[in-house]
Amino acid sequence: MNTREYLTDATKAFFDSLEQSWKASPPKALSATSINEYRENARNFFESTALPAEDAQYECITIPTMDGQHISANVYHSISAKKGRGVLIFYPGGAFIAKLGAHHSPISHIANKTDCCIIVPDCRLAPENKFPTGLHDAFCILNWVYKKGTALYGIDPNKIIVGGDSSGGNFAALTAIYARDNNISLLCQILISPITDLSRSLTSFKKEEQQDILTSPEFVEWAYQHYFPNGFNRKSPQASFN
């Protein structure tokens, strides 16, 4: 299957342009790229390609974690801000290792078009904080919203949605399982190109990986090596769906 046939003309043109640019000036080999260098390059690239953000009311808050630390999160308020509204906890992707700086635009758009409060957490990144630190941060956000959201933001605890893209989709899916096991009712989950098989033992995705200039097999393996502790079984249901 050629996944490009499902892309819009504008998206195809974007990837064609990107491929031509990278052929003309190939990026540095991953083996010679530091995490900080990758983060800076990735953020510069994605910020330059992001659509302009819409005006949206949002604030930055801090939330306690399981290990006594605090992480930040942006809270976007819908125009109506009515009581009993729903909330979308959106975990942004970045291969578990980077903040891409491209999520403000779509999140601000959603905030302006819905009655939802949207919370975008800044879960800690690997390799400084290897698995399961970032995932546990994701769980903490859900617990905080469930326990504090009604009083602070008028959130209906029966209207909680978790969502995310790429590595954030992995967090969202695993958070949904955590919610089930801890008697937290979710309205639904929204997964955008989620990373589900971190063991890379399934074969169905390999052809798509080879077609995707942004997530080559070499990059995926490089990112997972930074994310997981040495010797961790990537087939573990704590991290993956096989």
Side-chain angles (χ1 to χ4, degrees):
M1 179 181 70
N2 184 355
T3 55
R4 286 180 63 89
E5 65 184 271
Y6 298 101
L7 302 178
T8 65
D9 289 341
T11 304
K12 290 177 183 177
F14 167 77
F15 279 107
D16 288 343
S17 174
L18 177 61
E19 188 171 9
Q20 292 173 6
S21 174
W22 282 12
K23 284 181 177 178
S25 180
K28 192 175 179 180
L30 287 170
S31 59
T33 303
S34 69
I35 281 291
N36 287 335
E37 188 176 12
Y38 170 77
R39 287 171 178 165
E40 181 179 0
N41 292 341
R43 188 174 185 89
N44 288 340
F45 168 74
F46 281 101
E47 283 185 339
S48 69
T49 59
L51 294 172
E54 299 181 15
D55 289 334
Q57 181 184 358
Y58 72 97
E59 60 179 313
C60 184
I61 61 173
T62 58
I63 296 173
T65 63
M66 290 182 182
D67 57 2
Q69 302 299 312
H70 287 77
I71 61 170
S72 63
N74 282 340
V75 181
Y76 292 76
H77 299 286
S78 59
I79 295 174
S80 64
K82 64 182 181 181
K83 290 185 178 181
R85 59 184 170 155
V87 58
L88 166 62
I89 306 171
F90 189 87
Y91 303 103
F96 305 108
I97 58 175
K99 301 170 191 175
L100 302 180
H103 292 86
H104 181 56
S105 175
I107 294 300
S108 63
H109 176 77
I110 295 171
N112 285 336
K113 297 297 182 181
T114 70
D115 288 329
C116 274
C117 173
I118 305 173
I119 299 179
V120 183
D122 192 11
C123 297
R124 284 172 286 181
L125 300 173
E128 297 89 345
N129 300 281
K130 288 184 178 286
F131 173 89
T133 302
L135 179 61
H136 284 177
D137 290 347
F139 296 163
C140 286
I141 294 289
L142 174 63
N143 280 322
W144 184 87
V145 169
Y146 184 69
K147 295 175 181 178
K148 306 285 187 180
T150 298
L152 289 175
Y153 301 117
I155 291 167
D156 184 339
N158 295 308
K159 295 180 180 177
I160 299 175
I161 302 167
V162 294
D165 68 293
S166 191
S167 58
N170 175 271
F171 281 4
L174 290 168
T175 298
I177 294 174
Y178 172 88
R180 179 201 65 191
D181 294 343
N182 288 273
N183 299 312
I184 299 175
S185 178
L186 297 182
L187 185 62
C188 65
Q189 58 179 313
I190 301 172
L191 308 181
I192 305 170
S193 302
I195 298 174
T196 53
D197 176 28
L198 276 71
S199 72
R200 305 186 72 241
S201 58
L202 302 178
T203 58
S204 58
F205 64 85
K206 290 184 178 179
K207 184 176 180 180
E208 282 67 35
E209 269 189 0
Q210 292 168 353
Q211 296 177 36
D212 191 339
I213 190 172
L214 293 177
T215 55
S216 67
E218 293 77 15
F219 169 76
V220 173
E221 184 60 29
W222 181 78
Y224 292 177
Q225 286 175 0
H226 286 297
Y227 178 54
F228 287 113
N230 290 335
F232 181 80
N233 180 8
R234 299 184 193 178
K235 289 187 177 182
S236 168
Q238 295 177 318
S240 193
F241 304 84
N242 307 103

